[in-house]
Amino acid sequence: MYGDRMGFRGWVGDRLVNADAVYGLIVYSALIAAISDKDANALDVLVGAGLTLVVFWGAHAFADAITRHGAERPLGQATREAIGHSSGMLYASIIPSIPLIVGALGLVSTDDAVSFSLLIAMVILGIVGYRAFAERKRPIIVRILGGLGAAMFGFLVILLNILVH
């Protein structure tokens, strides 16, 4: 968990390669897809998806803090641990936000900004899936299939969210 790996690479890995980050990335992507479907501009999509993700993160951190709190952990310590642990949900949105920022600046169309954001999210999920199998020293074909499977699962969740909304 946190602190097991040293340096920048360890910091990134601890925060971006965990269940909270993967969940955050999928939720953020689904929000982007859902909000963009309403004739919004890139800034509307960025702000709407970002603020909604922060609300989801707050609920997640609150739930984590409550379950960590007990006789062995004061509420303040449990809250700090929960915020740190769940921060991956927010960090995971940074890279997919870049195309939306570029779109908000008017440098690309909203449709292109949304498409690039979702593509980036799928690539990140694929990398995380690949890395999970690589850490288990699986053959290269299994790593590739694992990466593709992770990306496709993310795509399926986004697609289902679009269909529901």
Side-chain angles (χ1 to χ4, degrees), residues 30-41 44-50 52:
L31 291 167
I32 289 169
I35 293 169
S36 68
D37 194 37
K38 299 174 183 168
D39 293 328
N41 63 42
D44 293 338
V45 174
L46 177 66
V47 171
T52 306

Side-chain angles (χ1 to χ4, degrees), residues 18-143:
N18 62 49
D20 295 307
V22 170
Y23 175 71
L25 184 61
I26 291 171
V27 167
Y28 188 61
S29 300
L31 291 167
I32 289 169
I35 293 169
S36 68
D37 194 37
K38 299 174 183 168
D39 293 328
N41 63 42
L43 182 60
D44 293 338
V45 174
L46 177 66
V47 171
L51 290 177
T52 306
L53 181 65
V54 169
V55 170
F56 274 93
W57 169 78
H60 184 77
F62 173 75
D64 196 358
I66 293 300
T67 59
R68 289 173 185 268
H69 178 56
E72 297 178 15
R73 283 191 183 105
L75 184 58
Q77 177 186 355
T79 301
R80 284 187 302 278
E81 289 174 4
I83 287 171
H85 184 263
S86 63
S87 64
M89 282 184 71
L90 299 177
Y91 290 132
S93 69
I94 293 171
I95 295 173
S97 293
I98 294 170
L100 294 174
I101 293 167
V102 172
L105 294 172
L107 302 174
V108 298
S109 71
T110 297
D111 287 343
D112 286 345
V114 167
S115 295
F116 287 131
S117 290
L118 296 177
L119 177 62
I120 287 169
M122 296 307 99
V123 168
I124 291 170
L125 287 171
I127 291 168
V128 170
Y130 179 93
R131 185 169 180 242
F133 285 95
E135 286 182 2
R136 297 197 44 103
K137 309 252 189 281
R138 299 295 186 220
I140 191 76
I141 189 68
V142 173
R143 297 175 191 187

